[in-house]
């Protein structure tokens, strides 16, 4: 989806073949990591009224846990897709 909006990604996908697709996958992973960090920090601030001992260590541990979980789910979905079971993200959403 991003390749149609960003011309440099479209060029990378079409002209460089498999190497370009791997580079796009790597960029996607970094964007997902960055987005997971932002969301997990937001969630840790959102639960602040409901936590008794809310401090910086809570924010760090919750951010680490949620970001790690997001990256694991992304890895699981990639493994499902690579093994040929089906479309990994779609299967994980269904389950």
């Amino acid at each position: 989806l991003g390749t149609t909006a960003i011309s440099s990604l479209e060029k990378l996908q079409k002209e460089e073949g498999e190497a370009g697709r791997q580079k796009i996958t790597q960029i996607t992973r970094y964007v997902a990591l960055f987005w997971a960090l932002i969301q997990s920090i937001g969630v840790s601030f959102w639960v602040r009224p409901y936590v008794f001992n809310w401090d910086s260590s809570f924010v760090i541990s919750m951010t680490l846990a949620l970001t790690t979980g997001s990256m694991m789910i992304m890895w699981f979905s990639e493994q499902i897709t690579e093994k040929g079971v089906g479309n990994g993200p779609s299967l994980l959403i269904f389950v």
Side-chain angles (χ1 to χ4, degrees):
L1 239 172
T3 57
T4 57
I6 303 170
S7 61
S8 62
L9 290 178
E10 186 175 12
K11 179 182 170 186
L12 193 65
Q13 182 183 22
K14 288 182 179 179
E15 292 179 6
E16 293 194 25
E18 185 61 31
R21 281 188 282 283
Q22 287 177 353
K23 200 175 286 187
I24 291 173
T25 302
Q26 192 67 26
I27 292 169
T28 304
R29 288 181 186 139
Y30 285 127
V31 169
L33 175 64
F34 176 72
W35 188 246
L37 282 168
I38 289 172
Q39 282 189 324
S40 60
I41 291 170
V43 168
S44 66
F45 278 94
W46 179 67
V47 299
R48 183 177 187 176
Y50 311 109
V51 176
F52 292 117
N53 296 328
W54 192 90
D55 56 358
S56 61
S57 67
F58 174 80
V59 174
I60 291 170
S61 64
M62 188 165 181
T63 300
L64 184 65
L66 291 174
T67 303
T68 303
S70 296
M71 294 296 104
M72 285 179 60
I73 291 295
M74 188 172 70
W75 180 76
F76 286 149
S77 67
E78 287 176 358
Q79 294 302 309
I80 291 170
T81 302
E82 285 179 9
K83 302 296 181 195
V85 177
N87 187 358
S90 297
L91 285 173
L92 288 177
I93 289 170
F94 178 73
V95 170

